[in-house]
Amino acid sequence: MTELKPCPWCGTVGHDLFDLWDRFDAGHIAHVHCTHCGADGPSVYSETSANDAIKQARQAWNRRKSND
């Protein structure tokens, strides 16, 4: 699975960033969550599977402009 960039608000990396997902209507919705500051990435919907939603949510989290 795609490695996550650090949180853009607090810089947290590793196990404090995790995927949240749930069933939603006829599919799954997912986003990346930072447990340190509470930031959430964009929510992504997938009709195929939770894994697909998580993969897309990780890509959306990493697509943001870098803070470096």
Side-chain angles (χ1 to χ4, degrees):
M1 190 124 339
T2 306
E3 185 173 335
L4 294 169
K5 289 183 178 180
C7 177
W9 291 273
C10 69
T12 295
V13 295
H15 67 277
D16 288 329
L17 298 174
F18 63 92
D19 309 301
L20 293 175
W21 69 273
D22 201 355
R23 288 189 178 274
F24 183 77
D25 290 337
H28 297 85
I29 193 162
H31 67 270
V32 174
H33 176 77
C34 176
T35 59
H36 182 76
C37 72
D40 288 322
S43 292
V44 177
Y45 176 79
S46 172
E47 292 181 355
T48 56
S49 70
N51 284 339
D52 187 45
I54 290 168
K55 179 181 174 184
Q56 290 180 47
R58 286 175 163 251
Q59 290 171 345
W61 174 271
N62 287 341
R63 211 172 11 248
R64 64 182 160 67
K65 186 174 179 177
S66 175
N67 290 347
D68 302 339

